[in-house]
Every structure is written in C-alpha cells, then in structure tokens.
Amino acid sequence: MSSFCREVITLQLGHYSNFVGTHWWNLQDASLSYDPDGPPGEIQSDVLFREGQTLGGHVTHTPRLIAMDLKGSLRTLRQEGNLYDAGKDTSAVTWDGSLMMHKESPPDKNPFLDDLDKLDRGEILAEADFYSSPQPQRSAGAVSVNTVNSQLARVQKAYRLEGSVKVWSDFLRIHLHPRTISVIHQYNHDGESQRLEAFGQGEALLQGSVLEQLEDKLHFFVEECDYLQGFQVFCDLADGFAGLGSKVTEMLQDSYGGRGILTWGIAPVSHPDSTPMKELYHMLNCTIGTVHMASHSSFFCPLTLRGGLGRRPSAPPAFPHLNYDPSMWYHSSAVLALALDALTLPYRLKNNSVPMWQVADTLAVSGRKVVAAYGAVPFPMMHGSSLPDALSACTDALPWKPLSACSEPGDGRCYGQWAMLRGFEGQRLISSHARGTKPPTPLHSLHSGEDVLDSYIRSFYPTAPLALQLVSEPSKLTPPFPQIFSQSLCAQGFLQSQRLPPGAPVPVVSSAPVMTSLQSGPAVGSWLSELHRGATTSDIRRAVPSFLSQGPEMADYEEALEELRLMARCYRDDSGGVMRSSSEEDDDD
C-alpha cells in the first residue's frame, strides 16, 4: 500500500446503516488491488483498510470499521468473525462425567453465503453456475491474494437474493476484524418487545458497557493510524440510533475535535410493520437527530430515497435506468451505497486528494452544517460517445435525483457545491469534432473534462462556488450487488445505442458510472423548516407522551426545536429569504 495516507475510521450505527455500509464495503472490496505489476489505481484503499496478519501468517486487509447493531441482527455472522479463528481448544476440558449438549440449528444460509463457505474450504464452484464475464483478480481483505472474494470477482454469478436477505450480513462478502462488531444486547432487532424506537433510549445507551466497548474499539483503530484525518459516521436517523449517534458524534467532537467528522443520517423509504404512531416516532427522531448530529459534526448530510422525512412523503425518486424496489432494503441501500461511493471519493484518492476538513469547510460555511446530496445513478452516458455529448442531452435539467429528500430550487441559488463524476473509463471527456467546423454546442469546444463539467453545472448555478473532481475508475459491481439495472445498459453501465434483440441474454452490469453533488443552499433551509413544522404540528405531550417518558426532557426538546428553527434561518440568501412559504416567514417573526 501507499507509504503515506490520511486514514479514516468508519462507524455504522443501526441496521439500515449497516445495510448501506455492507453494500458500500463490498464496492470498496471490489476496487482493492495489490498486484505490483498491475496498473496503479486512482483510489487509495489504505485510507479505509488496515493491514494485519492471521495466526497462520497470511496478510489480511480488513475495514477500519466499528459497526453497532442490536441483539438478533447478525444471524449467521459471528460477532468476532472467523478471520483469526484458530479453532476451538478442547485441551482444557477435564470433566469425566456425562455431558448433555443442547444444540440449536443455525439459520439457513442463502446461495451466496453457501458459495462463500465452499470457497473458504478451497472448493471450486462449477463453471456452469456462472456467466462468463471475467474480471481482474482482486484481493478482498481475506487470507491471501488468491482469496475467496478474488475468485468471486473473476466471475459474475446470477445471484437472486431478493427473497432471502433478512439482515445485512446475508450479503456481506468481506472478512471483518474481531473488534469491528458491537452488539447492543439491551434491545432486540426483531419482535415487539425491547425495541430501540425513541431518541432518548439511544441517548441513554452510551454509558456503561456500551461506552466502554466503543472507547476500546476506537482506541484500537486510532492508535494504529499514522495520520488520522477523521471519521465518517453512517447513522440510522429514524429510530433510537439517532440518539446514540448524537452522543457518539458528541464524544468524537470532544475527543478528536481537530479531525473531520462527516456524518450521514440514513433513513429507509419504509419500515416493516409501521404504524401511524411509529411514523410519528420516526419523524421526531429525524428532527432531533438532525439538530444534534449536525452540531457535533463537520457536516451532516441526510441520505434517503424517501420523498420526505415528514409523515406524508412524496414518491421516491425514479432513476431512468434503474429497476429497483424502493421499499426493499436490499435494493434501496444498494442505490445509496453506489452514490456514497462517489460522494466520499474526494478524501480517498491517491492524487489530488482533499482532506475531510477541507471538504467540510468548503460546504459548511457560516454555520450551514447541513448539506444535501444528489446523484445520477447511473450517469447516462452512451457507450463510445463523449462527455459533451452526454451532458448536452441533459440541457433542460440536471441528470441527478435527490438523495436527501431535498429538491433542488431550480433558480440557480446555491452557497456551495462539490460535484463528482466517476466511471467514464474508456470514454472521451472532450469532443473530437473536426477543426474548422462549428461545434454543435459550447461544451464541444472545451479542451478538458473539468472545463466541460464546470461549464455545464455553471449553466444551472452561474454564481455558486463550485468544486469538482473527475475519476475515470468506475464503481465495480461484483456479486452479490443486485442486478437492478435496465436493459438499456451494457455490461460497463453505459447506454447502448441499439436495443437488445428478442431472446438475447441481458448483460450483467459489472460497473457503473456515477455523478453526484453535495450542495449547501436555500433548498436545505426549506427542508429544515419542513422538519420544524412537522414536529410542532402535534402536541407531543398528548400525541406521544411515551416518547418524552424515555427522554429527552420537554425543555430539551423545545430547545432542540428552537435550534432547528435558527438552523433553517442560516440558509436565507442575501435578500433575506429562503425558499419558504409565507406561513413559514410568519413563524420566524
């Protein structure tokens, strides 16, 4: 790995955040390469991965990760993992009497996990099970270069896990360090009793054994870093983990205040077995969690495919070249992870890397620490065409969709923006029109991909500060990433010029170009005002007294709402107003 890097420690707090995180780590795993004779990659993997050794002396690369979840959320995954398992030592058993053993049958494994077990045992999977789609050999943080995951990466199997994925470990393809997983035994993942539903429950958790475990894991990962640039926190926003995340980010700020803390508040489109009362809980958790996590982070970005975080959200965004089920966590988390793979690239690059604090300082200006995310997943680029051609086809509207339940204003107002385009490998960034001929659009006359993208975005945001980066490497989609792409895409994720003939096999999409944007603008103020309005509509003491019975106190709750109102006011433009209704203006007076 590189001799110098700025390490990042990742925390995943909550079940849906672990869904997103599992897809995201699978994507990172697919990009790992330690072949000294291979071409150098653009992404510095040791920003996220740590190097170690098994008891047998094999080199390992495991995520620098702390993942917290509830009792019953792991199913077939052992909390300590099996990467450093030396086997059970029975030499200390001295009892000579009779023994009675009660053994519970383990949960059934899906076909993907069964294949992982076979490859771990050194078995060769039948070639007939696979599509012939060779991939470069990769290391995946297991026990050698020729690992389980590198074998899976060479072929694309037609896994269909939609009916079998119950928890995030059902599609985890990498080995985790024994210090990664932390199970909170006070609350259950399933069932109706002992559920982590309210903000106050999560706040109260960070004490005693939970706090000790977290501090121990943090110290382990921090102390082995040469230059820790900061933390990225993926935290469930709609349940009690919002309270836990608020305390965790506060602790990080107190202990590591000079480091970047980039927090992503993650929420699914829907929850299983939801009720109107639970939906109200979700909205209140989102509201208070946003206030607290934003105040303790370098920036806070809500990440969701839900059309809004209130009780009556609009429809999830429709991506033109995806066929996904927004209500299925396995699908929606894959879309968010693919976008997050591009959103987090600035501080993970080998060249022209931008440290976390600089990304945050660029966007979180004048107290505006909440930002909104947008993404074109995948970016609509025709195979064999150029970037000017692709962008010229999107002159009426930007190609990305909201990933934060926050619509763009459409009037060019924005305080700051960070755009990222990755995955154009093999395509031209500038036009190849003949000299002496008039270019079809102004974009076709520019001489670099950066100029093309800059000119295009500035046509929508002419006065907004803009930072942008281009990375040619695509996101590599190896098993078991769901095949949620339309038939209009080729194997590389680009648009096909011709439709597939009837009966032709649909190509397995093995990579995808993605375009994303992080924005700070008046639209975020509208989003915050909507949260404030939703939380103040109902009398919380009458509607959900149980929410307050578990904390916070009523005075703390009212203080959080006032902070939220003031936070929304920070997003007024120079003329004194944000994109708000007249009733909102009256509320502020």
Side-chain angles (χ1 to χ4, degrees), residues 380-392:
M381 190 171 187
M382 189 72 68
H383 181 71
S385 68
S386 68
L387 182 59
D389 292 335
L391 296 177
S392 297

Side-chain angles (χ1 to χ4, degrees), residues 82-252:
N82 57 12
L83 189 58
Y84 300 98
D85 189 6
K88 295 183 179 179
D89 182 10
T90 60
S91 60
V93 177
T94 59
W95 174 254
D96 293 329
S98 60
L99 295 173
M100 180 178 294
M101 180 178 292
H102 298 273
K103 187 174 182 180
E104 183 180 359
S105 299
D108 292 333
K109 293 188 175 183
N110 60 46
F112 171 71
L113 296 180
D114 282 337
D115 283 350
L116 283 183
D117 287 345
K118 291 177 183 177
L119 292 172
D120 266 331
R121 295 192 297 266
E123 299 180 24
I124 303 298
L125 301 182
E127 289 294 328
D129 289 343
F130 295 90
Y131 289 117
S132 57
S133 177
Q135 301 289 326
Q137 194 165 353
R138 303 281 176 182
S139 169
V143 295
S144 68
V145 174
N146 185 26
T147 60
V148 169
N149 291 315
S150 66
Q151 293 181 57
L152 280 175
R154 290 202 311 265
V155 286
Q156 292 283 344
K157 186 168 183 180
Y159 293 108
R160 296 290 184 264
L161 302 184
E162 281 76 4
S164 62
V165 167
K166 294 181 173 61
V167 297
W168 51 270
S169 60
D170 286 338
F171 57 96
L172 178 70
R173 56 171 280 160
I174 60 174
H175 287 284
L176 301 176
H177 191 274
R179 292 179 184 262
T180 282
I181 298 177
S182 182
V183 176
I184 299 172
H185 293 280
Q186 292 95 316
Y187 293 99
N188 295 320
H189 167 64
D190 285 321
E192 289 299 320
S193 63
Q194 292 298 105
R195 301 300 298 271
L196 185 61
E197 295 180 327
F199 183 90
Q201 292 174 298
E203 266 195 321
L205 268 178
L206 202 64
Q207 56 185 334
S209 61
V210 175
L211 176 60
E212 291 174 4
Q213 287 184 30
L214 178 59
E215 288 181 332
D216 177 66
K217 295 175 188 296
L218 271 174
H219 291 158
F220 172 79
F221 287 116
V222 168
E223 288 172 3
E224 64 179 13
C225 294
D226 293 323
Y227 189 92
L228 175 66
Q229 66 166 309
F231 305 86
Q232 53 183 16
V233 182
F234 305 157
C235 182
D236 281 12
L237 193 57
D239 57 22
F241 274 101
L244 178 63
S246 297
K247 285 297 184 182
V248 168
T249 51
E250 182 179 6
M251 183 186 73
L252 292 176

Side-chain angles (χ1 to χ4, degrees), residues 471-493:
V471 175
S472 65
E473 285 186 24
S475 296
K476 296 179 174 63
L477 311 178
T478 52
F481 196 90
Q483 287 295 310
I484 53 178
F485 303 93
S486 71
Q487 297 183 15
S488 60
L489 302 181
C490 67
Q492 292 74 39

Side-chain angles (χ1 to χ4, degrees), residues 41-42 46 75 80 161 173 217 276 303 312 357 364 497:
E42 296 174 272
D46 50 352
R75 279 176 51 85
E80 68 277 9
L161 302 184
R173 56 171 280 160
K217 295 175 188 296
L303 205 62
R312 295 178 178 84
W357 64 265
S497 57

Side-chain angles (χ1 to χ4, degrees), residues 289-531:
T290 295
V291 172
H292 286 273
M293 283 188 274
S295 64
H296 300 143
S297 304
S298 304
F299 79 48
F300 173 83
C301 179
L303 205 62
T304 182
L305 297 178
R306 188 178 168 96
L309 294 181
R311 301 177 70 180
R312 295 178 178 84
S314 56
F319 298 89
H321 305 290
L322 291 184
N323 298 318
Y324 79 108
D325 182 350
S327 64
M328 184 182 295
W329 284 22
Y330 178 55
H331 278 187
S332 63
S333 61
V335 178
L336 292 179
L338 193 52
L340 199 58
D341 193 28
L343 290 166
T344 58
L345 269 179
Y347 50 88
R348 300 193 287 115
L349 298 176
K350 284 185 178 178
N351 299 313
N352 301 317
S353 177
V354 181
M356 278 182 160
W357 64 265
Q358 188 172 334
V359 176
D361 285 354
T362 301
L363 294 168
V365 179
S366 302
R368 305 181 187 109
K369 296 175 73 174
V370 181
V371 300
Y374 304 86
V377 186
F379 175 63
M381 190 171 187
M382 189 72 68
H383 181 71
S385 68
S386 68
L387 182 59
D389 292 335
L391 296 177
S392 297
C394 307
T395 55
D396 294 335
L398 288 151
W400 52 55
K401 303 293 182 182
L403 301 175
S404 299
C406 185
S407 300
E408 285 185 281
D411 59 2
R413 290 189 294 165
C414 185
Y415 307 131
Q417 182 170 186
W418 200 296
M420 175 67 68
L421 173 63
R422 74 167 302 182
F424 52 84
E425 192 172 61
Q427 311 302 305
R428 290 177 285 111
L429 289 178
I430 60 175
S431 175
S432 59
H433 71 279
R435 290 188 177 183
T437 61
K438 183 179 180 180
T441 71
L443 295 179
H444 289 77
S445 64
L446 300 175
H447 302 294
S448 73
E450 288 79 4
D451 288 343
V452 171
L453 187 57
D454 182 272
S455 177
Y456 173 74
I457 295 177
R458 289 191 186 282
S459 67
F460 293 90
Y461 294 97
T463 62
L466 172 64
L468 55 85
Q469 289 172 295
L470 284 76
V471 175
S472 65
E473 285 186 24
S475 296
K476 296 179 174 63
L477 311 178
T478 52
F481 196 90
Q483 287 295 310
I484 53 178
F485 303 93
S486 71
Q487 297 183 15
S488 60
L489 302 181
C490 67
Q492 292 74 39
F494 298 112
L495 297 175
Q496 301 187 91
S497 57
Q498 296 181 345
R499 287 193 172 190
L500 291 173
V506 178
V508 174
V509 177
S510 58
S511 63
V514 175
M515 185 177 180
T516 59
S517 171
L518 286 171
Q519 295 182 18
S520 172
V524 177
S526 298
W527 182 85
L528 293 170
S529 294
E530 180 187 355
L531 277 185

